[in-house]
Amino acid sequence: MKVGIVGANGYSGIELIRLLQHHPYTDLTKMISHSTSGKNILELYPHLENFVDMSLEHIDIEEIAREVDLVFFATPAGVTKDLIPDFLEKGVTCIDVSGDFRLKKPEDYKQWYKKSPANDQYLQESVYGLPELNRHKIKEAKLIANPGCFPTATLLGLIPVLQHKVIDLYSIHIDAKTGVSGAGRNVNVANLFTEVNENIKAYKVGHHQHIPEIEQVIREISGEEAPISFVTHLIPINRGIMSTIYCDLIHNLSIEEIYQLYKEMYKNEPFIRIRQVGQYPTTKEIFGSNFCDIGLYVDERTNRLIIISVIDNLVKGASGQAIQNMNILAGWEETTGLMNVPLYP
């Protein structure tokens, strides 16, 4: 399959390039970047020496459509809503790593992203690309809206108890922490070393754009509107997300019962790893991989379930999941190019 990347110069773009180098069935044909077009990718990322030697190009939809079968879009929010319809009309399959097609209600996008939404026709056509939830829909999709990094970690932690209806939907509280790469490769005072090092800070409290995305999936699974409490924190690491989720159990369930529920639901999921009772995952243990590791604890004193879910925000939270979706679309083994041991330490 011939593939292209729009936004190849950012962190998600460069992670797509890294992962596609290990993929046996793809040919990276086009790398597009508006801000750095004309430069060789090696000028921006010298670590690719001996692996990739390609120039970044301006976007030319006609040319790209002639030369590729599928395009990954690793762009900021607000870009793909205007680009992707033209690609779809020319028969090119699109996987959008940005947030432009995740929310089904245009008014939600306008409220939370502070931008004009995509055409409603394409919002309804898009498939939310969380394989563990929507695999059957992904197989037939032409436009996949890759989930956000925080929603990926959080929803994978919640799906089993949502589907089994064992928690109080109105008790969901999420404390999520992310590394600095989640903000992209932009010049921003808040992301300077001196600002981030030896520091932890909450940000976008109460108005993070991933809130409606998480609530949308909760609504789809449960059939109920259930607002969540969601607070994100920036921590001094490069990669990784830890989403700690607190929710009240409706019934008195033991940790062993909850553990078996998760093991059973995810038994055929190659990228979900449930920790043994009493063990809890760390971000270092999924570094550079497409795994989501989940640890569980039942606080019998409060009858509250605590779910700890970790992912690499650039892999399972972005580019790795995009390739996982491509594999499903193409009918290849879902783990193709992705089943690597995490980097440690």
Side-chain angles (χ1 to χ4, degrees):
M1 180 183 286
K2 295 184 181 298
V3 302
I5 303 171
V6 175
N9 61 328
Y11 287 146
S12 294
I14 200 65
E15 194 70 352
L16 278 165
I17 293 170
R18 179 180 77 88
L19 294 169
L20 288 169
Q21 292 304 301
H22 302 285
H23 201 289
Y25 307 136
T26 59
D27 176 14
L28 179 54
T29 306
K30 287 285 186 181
M31 295 196 300
I32 309 299
S33 167
H34 172 73
S35 60
T36 55
S37 62
K39 291 187 176 182
N40 191 293
I41 192 67
L42 295 175
E43 295 180 57
L44 304 178
Y45 296 101
H47 71 286
L48 293 175
E49 185 76 42
N50 297 339
F51 291 97
V52 182
D53 186 3
M54 292 177 64
S55 292
L56 297 157
E57 304 176 34
H58 278 296
I59 191 163
D60 183 326
I61 295 174
E62 294 281 350
E63 181 180 321
I64 297 170
R66 285 195 303 269
E67 297 187 21
V68 307
D69 306 298
L70 179 147
V71 178
F72 296 100
F73 294 83
T75 59
V79 174
T80 60
K81 64 184 178 62
D82 297 319
L83 288 178
I84 281 180
D86 290 335
F87 280 97
L88 292 174
E89 288 176 11
K90 296 182 183 305
V92 178
T93 300
C94 299
I95 299 180
D96 186 15
V97 183
S98 84
D100 283 10
F101 294 92
R102 294 174 190 156
L103 302 179
K104 293 300 184 182
K105 296 180 180 179
E107 59 270 23
D108 285 346
Y109 182 88
K110 187 174 182 180
Q111 175 185 348
W112 292 90
Y113 282 82
K114 310 301 181 186
K115 300 175 185 291
S116 59
N119 184 292
D120 188 57
Q121 171 193 340
Y122 297 104
L123 292 180
Q124 303 314 313
E125 287 180 9
S126 69
V127 171
Y128 189 67
L130 192 63
E132 294 78 9
L133 184 66
N134 284 334
R135 187 173 285 108
H136 62 293
K137 294 181 181 179
I138 293 168
K139 290 179 179 179
E140 307 298 329
K142 292 297 292 182
L143 168 56
I144 292 176
N146 225 55
C149 50
F150 283 122
T152 295
T154 300
L155 291 167
L156 290 175
L158 280 170
I159 285 171
V161 287
L162 289 173
Q163 291 190 341
H164 283 79
K165 302 183 184 301
V166 298
I167 62 169
D168 179 355
L169 296 177
Y170 299 92
S171 71
I172 299 173
H173 298 266
I174 303 154
D175 179 324
K177 300 173 180 65
T178 185
V180 185
S181 61
R185 203 186 198 199
N186 303 310
V187 178
N188 187 332
V189 171
N191 298 332
L192 292 174
F193 178 83
T194 49
E195 300 290 327
V196 175
N197 187 46
E198 299 184 17
N199 195 18
I200 299 176
K201 54 185 173 183
Y203 68 100
K204 293 186 179 179
V205 177
H207 60 272
H208 198 287
Q209 70 272 18
H210 288 167
I211 291 174
E213 184 178 337
I214 296 170
E215 291 180 346
Q216 176 176 270
V217 176
I218 292 174
R219 182 172 62 249
E220 289 173 358
I221 294 173
S222 69
E224 296 184 42
E225 296 282 351
I228 59 172
S229 294
F230 180 73
V231 180
T232 54
H233 302 81
L234 183 65
I235 61 176
I237 62 173
N238 290 334
R239 292 170 175 254
I241 280 178
M242 176 177 284
S243 184
T244 305
I245 308 156
Y246 306 84
C247 44
D248 294 340
L249 292 166
I250 297 173
H251 310 291
N252 291 321
L253 297 173
S254 68
I255 182 58
E256 289 77 16
E257 290 173 307
I258 293 291
Y259 171 76
Q260 289 302 325
L261 185 154
Y262 275 73
K263 287 291 287 186
E264 179 62 25
M265 175 154 286
Y266 285 138
K267 66 182 179 182
N268 295 319
E269 295 297 342
F271 294 113
I272 308 296
R273 305 190 300 187
I274 308 300
R275 292 301 169 85
Q276 295 292 326
V277 173
Q279 295 182 358
Y280 307 100
T282 71
T283 56
K284 180 66 74 175
E285 293 156 355
I286 46 78
F287 195 90
S289 80
N290 200 52
F291 290 111
C292 174
D293 288 6
I294 298 173
L296 304 160
Y297 178 75
V298 172
D299 186 343
E300 295 178 356
R301 197 171 54 86
T302 60
N303 201 36
R304 185 168 294 128
L305 172 63
I306 300 172
I307 307 160
I308 300 170
S309 177
V310 299
I311 63 169
D312 186 320
N313 56 291
L314 293 177
V315 189
K316 184 60 170 169
S319 303
Q321 186 153 243
I323 291 173
Q324 186 180 354
N325 282 320
M326 176 189 69
N327 289 339
I328 295 170
L329 274 171
W332 300 323
E333 175 61 41
E334 198 165 319
T335 59
T336 304
L338 293 171
M339 190 55 79
N340 59 292
V341 177
L343 300 174
Y344 199 96

